[in-house]
């Protein structure tokens, strides 16, 4: 079973491209709104937020636009979440130069589904370069418990693909556990399919924890799974188990494989479940109804809870329970990331206890 490296400065390290998300107030559509809520965001820091809010030291590897007020906004947000960070300051290069990406999101409501527009032109995160970071200091001197990699960063540009690959190689060298959430995006892979398949396969081959849905495993790694979508997600559990078993056979170095199960009743009511294979033991959470304020970040919350559980050294049965609950918790926030007050709050969600605490 997984063993986290001891005496590390950082429990969790995430490489990421930071941006901002703007969302209309009161669950309104974008085109019908003139008032927006802005937040700093990235999928990878969404994951890290579970550990940071619960008191574990987390560290962000990223890059910033020099002298940008948006960069200052992002840095202040990361500090408020208890995260440390490092990254190169890149000159903007004029009004048509680099910037932090914008994510424009309609959360949806009832029968109106969410809609998300990613505006990533000139994204500074695409310049992430391994030469800008001291890997010997990070993994050798400081020490890292888990390195969490996302396919979003791995496929963002040729530079970030090499960046993630070199991080994985260095983490493996120094005994750091590697978590890899495949996060397939068709627009990122267009024209780079062979190149990215090779890179993702190598990262997966040295990973200890692999996370993905049926589309991720099939399109990133070529492992066939059940068809995406469908009305009854619970009926597909055996198909998901077969997919995970095939992934384990192809990537025997990994010890933990996980996927979430989501059936959308409407924008505010989902059936939420999960499957995990830890060693030779299956853990399944049958889909249960959850109420959703904003679905974005629910999957990241699940991964964050899983990694926190591993870092805490709990038994594997608790990993999926805590992860399910932190994923459900994330959907109750207007931010993309969950902000757990303490472990008790998370376990109350798992137990279905929403009574007032005085």
């Amino acid at each position: 079973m997984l063993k986290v490296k001891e005496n590390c400065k950082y429990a969790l390290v995430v490489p990421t491209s930071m941006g901002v998300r703007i969302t209309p107030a009161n669950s309104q559509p974008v085109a019908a709104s003139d008032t927006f809520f802005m937040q700093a965001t990235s999928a990878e820091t969404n994951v890290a937020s579970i550990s940071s809010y619960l008191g574990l030291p987390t560290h962000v590897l990223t890059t910033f636009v020099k002298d940008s007020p948006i960069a200052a906004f992002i840095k202040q947000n990361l500090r408020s979440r208890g995260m440390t960070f490092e990254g190169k300051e890149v000159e903007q290069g004029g009004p048509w130069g680099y910037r932090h990406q914008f994510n424009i999101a309609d959360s949806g409501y009832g029968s109106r589904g969410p809609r998300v527009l990613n505006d990533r032109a000139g994204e500074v995160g695409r310049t992430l370069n391994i030469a800008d970071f001291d890997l010997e200091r990070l993994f050798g001197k400081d020490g890292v418990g888990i390195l969490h990699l996302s396919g979003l960063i791995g496929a963002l540009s040729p530079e970030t693909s090499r960046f993630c690959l070199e991080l994985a190689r260095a983490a493996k060298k120094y005994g750091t556990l590697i978590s890899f959430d495949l996060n397939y995006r068709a627009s990122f892979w267009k024209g780079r399919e062979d190149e990215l398949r090779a890179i993702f396969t190598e990262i997966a081959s040295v990973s200890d924890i692999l996370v993905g849905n049926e589309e991720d495993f099939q399109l990133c790694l070529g492992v066939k799974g059940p068809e995406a979508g469908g009305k009854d997600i619970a009926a597909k559990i055996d198909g998901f188990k077969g997919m995970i078993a095939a992934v384990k056979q192809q990537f025997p170095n990994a010890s933990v494989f996980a996927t979430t199960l989501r059936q959308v009743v409407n924008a505010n009511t989902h059936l939420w479940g999960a499957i995990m294979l830890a060693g030779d033991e299956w853990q399944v959470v049958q889909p249960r109804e959850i109420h959703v304020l904003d679905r974005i970040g629910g999957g990241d919350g699940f991964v964050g809870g899983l990694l926190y559980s591993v870092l805490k050294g709990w038994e594997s049965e608790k990993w999926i329970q805590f992860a399910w609950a932190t994923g459900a918790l994330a959907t109750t926030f207007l931010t993309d990331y969950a902000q757990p007050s303490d472990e008790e709050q998370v376990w109350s969600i798992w137990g279905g206890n929403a009574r007032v605490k005085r």
Side-chain angles (χ1 to χ4, degrees), residues 26-316:
N26 302 315
S27 300
Q28 292 300 291
V30 171
S33 301
D34 59 9
T35 303
F36 292 78
F37 167 67
M38 186 171 82
Q39 61 170 289
T41 187
S42 78
E44 299 74 33
T45 53
N46 292 349
V47 171
S49 286
I50 303 299
S51 287
S52 69
Y53 275 98
L54 293 177
L56 297 184
T58 62
H59 191 60
V60 177
L61 308 180
T62 189
T63 188
F64 299 101
V65 177
K66 187 176 180 180
D67 299 325
S68 162
I70 299 298
F73 175 82
I74 290 169
K75 291 175 183 178
Q76 184 57 38
N77 174 265
L78 293 176
R79 294 186 190 103
S80 75
R81 290 152 73 179
M83 300 179 185
T84 56
F85 54 84
E86 61 179 295
K88 183 178 180 180
E89 300 276 343
V90 178
E91 294 283 354
Q92 181 182 359
W96 293 277
Y98 290 115
R99 64 183 174 95
H100 291 276
Q101 54 124 336
F102 268 73
N103 181 288
I104 306 167
D106 166 6
S107 300
Y109 187 82
S111 58
R112 192 186 78 244
R115 291 189 172 188
V116 179
L117 170 67
N118 289 303
D119 186 353
R120 310 188 79 126
E123 183 173 355
V124 70
R126 299 183 80 242
T127 69
L128 277 165
N129 193 306
I130 202 67
D132 296 329
F133 299 90
D134 185 345
L135 300 190
E136 185 174 349
R137 184 265 303 163
L138 179 65
F139 292 107
K141 182 179 178 181
D142 293 342
V144 178
I146 296 178
L147 170 71
H148 175 66
L149 298 171
S150 165
L152 296 175
I153 304 304
L156 196 57
S157 70
E159 290 78 12
T160 63
S161 300
R162 290 191 293 272
F163 175 63
C164 289
L165 183 57
E166 291 302 323
L167 280 174
R169 289 169 174 169
K172 189 69 175 178
K173 174 183 175 182
Y174 285 101
T176 292
L177 296 180
I178 301 169
S179 165
F180 188 24
D181 187 351
L182 297 170
N183 266 330
Y184 174 82
R185 293 293 184 275
S187 57
F188 289 13
W189 278 62
K190 188 176 181 180
R192 300 181 62 206
E193 289 84 358
D194 291 343
E195 171 198 0
L196 289 176
R197 173 69 63 83
I199 290 172
F200 275 51
T201 298
E202 181 173 345
I203 294 174
S205 72
V206 298
S207 294
D208 301 280
I209 301 168
L210 284 173
V211 181
N213 61 27
E214 64 276 23
E215 183 180 58
D216 295 333
F217 284 120
Q218 181 167 327
L219 297 176
C220 293
L221 303 177
V223 178
K224 187 170 179 55
E227 292 183 7
K231 294 284 187 182
D232 186 2
I233 194 71
K236 295 185 176 182
I237 287 178
D238 286 343
F240 280 104
K241 282 186 172 182
M243 174 189 71
I244 290 174
V247 175
K248 180 179 180 179
Q249 185 175 16
Q250 187 170 334
F251 299 96
N253 181 75
S255 301
V256 178
F257 307 83
T259 188
T260 56
L261 306 172
R262 188 197 300 263
Q263 183 175 331
V264 176
V265 179
N266 58 56
N268 307 108
T269 304
H270 295 178
L271 301 180
W272 178 243
I275 301 173
M276 181 183 74
L277 178 61
D280 294 321
E281 294 187 4
W282 288 101
Q283 304 288 349
V284 178
V285 177
Q286 293 285 343
R288 294 160 52 184
E289 183 175 284
I290 61 171
H291 299 283
V292 177
L293 182 63
D294 187 320
R295 70 167 284 167
I296 297 174
D300 298 327
F302 173 88
V303 178
L306 174 62
L307 299 186
Y308 178 81
S309 302
V310 172
L311 289 165
K312 294 289 285 187
W314 296 342
E315 295 179 358
S316 60

